[in-house]
Amino acid sequence: MAEDKKQDAVALLKADHRKVEELFEAFESAKGDGRKQKIALEICLELTVHAKIEEEIFYPACEGKIEEDMLKEAYVEHDSAKVLIAEIEAGSPDDDFYDAKVKVLSEQIEHHVEEEEMRMEGMFSQARKAGLDMDALGDQLRARKEELIAEYKANGLPKPETTTLLEATV
């Protein structure tokens, strides 16, 4: 954990991405409904916390400093993921579309991660070029992440909140 403490914002967010990628791989190779559900719920927790810290801290810090369309797309991609997360959480591996929902979520997240991490024109690259204080942002992200994990482990994940007008149509 000491190594985690020194991560700047981009390193912390990328570490989250790698962890979720590993969880999706574990889900695909998992045998047994209990194991699959445990991994799927861990994916949901990780993604919910990650989206929340990006939306509360990282994305607002990027406003006016990176391409506006990229930021808007990121919020919409989060909203789309939140819908699937809620369905996965409410379901079980017995459901006809459970595995398909986890697979589609995996594909959506893979696309989202590519856009954030793209060399040169990706969100993280643009944020660095804009001169954001990545160390200070990293500290804020880490502190909020720890709070959210403790809260969600104690109380369960909250009902997804969308950040765009998607909510009005759902």
Side-chain angles (χ1 to χ4, degrees):
M1 198 74 171
E3 181 182 304
D4 186 46
K5 296 266 185 251
K6 295 181 188 198
Q7 289 179 317
D8 72 10
V10 170
L12 184 143
L13 296 172
K14 282 184 173 183
D16 283 357
H17 292 168
R18 301 296 84 79
K19 182 172 185 177
V20 171
E21 288 167 356
E22 289 172 14
L23 288 168
F24 279 123
E25 286 175 23
F27 180 87
E28 282 197 29
S29 63
K31 304 289 184 232
D33 287 353
R35 180 86 180 118
K36 281 188 161 203
Q37 188 165 27
K38 182 177 188 285
I39 295 168
L41 292 175
E42 191 174 347
I43 290 167
C44 291
L45 171 67
E46 291 293 327
L47 290 175
T48 299
V49 169
H50 182 81
K52 189 96 167 146
I53 65 174
E54 280 188 331
E55 291 170 8
E56 287 181 357
I57 299 165
F58 191 73
Y59 292 173
C62 290
E63 285 180 20
K65 304 206 177 357
I66 70 167
E67 290 175 26
E68 184 180 354
D69 286 348
M70 181 173 278
L71 201 52
K72 285 180 178 178
E73 285 176 29
Y75 279 113
V76 173
E77 288 167 353
H78 278 199
D79 286 350
S80 177
K82 289 173 191 176
V83 170
L84 278 173
I85 289 167
E87 290 180 11
I88 291 164
E89 272 213 288
S92 77
D94 297 341
D95 299 344
D96 284 343
F97 294 97
Y98 191 82
D99 285 11
K101 288 175 183 177
V102 174
K103 177 68 174 169
V104 170
L105 180 62
S106 171
E107 291 168 351
Q108 287 181 347
I109 297 304
E110 183 179 335
H111 168 80
H112 181 72
V113 165
E114 283 175 14
E115 289 192 341
E116 286 186 339
E117 294 186 7
M118 215 179 339
R119 293 192 68 174
M120 306 305 284
E121 67 265 3
M123 183 182 291
F124 294 164
S125 181
Q126 287 184 35
R128 279 201 192 281
K129 286 179 194 160
L132 293 177
D133 186 343
M134 292 301 175
D135 290 329
L137 280 172
D139 292 342
Q140 291 173 14
L141 291 167
R142 188 173 21 272
R144 183 64 175 136
K145 182 177 174 180
E146 289 169 7
E147 284 175 18
L148 290 169
I149 288 172
E151 179 184 327
Y152 296 161
K153 283 188 175 179
N155 305 320
L157 292 181
K159 182 176 183 265
E161 300 171 14
T162 55
T163 53
T164 67
L165 295 178
L166 240 156
E167 186 170 67
T169 60
V170 176

